[in-house]
Amino acid sequence: MRQTIKTYFDGLRMADQVIFADGKQEKLDELVNELPESTDMPSMVMRMSDCYGLFQGLVSKYSEVLA
């Protein structure tokens, strides 16, 4: 799965911006645990990471159209 993700972001010319959360889960949990909703949604960290990646992908595509 990791290679599929790398290939996808490479196609968006964003491969150098991809950071996998391996070994960073504790830090991400600390950040998200400050949000009141985090107790109701234990998967919030990964969902937010996914959303951030998708947002960056959309911004990248939009920027390419403007250039």
Side-chain angles (χ1 to χ4, degrees):
M1 185 69 149
R2 181 180 291 252
Q3 188 56 46
T4 302
I5 293 169
K6 284 182 176 184
T7 302
Y8 173 76
F9 282 103
D10 189 35
L12 296 175
R13 298 185 195 126
M14 295 178 60
D16 59 331
Q17 296 177 22
V18 174
I19 299 171
F20 289 94
D22 298 356
K24 297 183 174 132
Q25 185 68 37
E26 289 180 18
K27 181 63 177 170
L28 292 171
D29 285 338
E30 284 177 28
L31 293 171
V32 174
N33 283 339
E34 295 176 12
L35 301 172
E37 302 88 1
S38 67
T39 56
D40 297 331
M41 294 189 292
S43 63
M44 185 182 279
V45 172
M46 290 298 123
R47 288 179 181 224
M48 291 177 77
S49 299
D50 291 339
C51 291
Y52 179 77
L54 291 170
F55 173 75
Q56 290 297 321
L58 289 173
V59 168
S60 164
K61 285 186 177 187
Y62 183 68
S63 298
E64 288 176 13
V65 172
L66 292 177

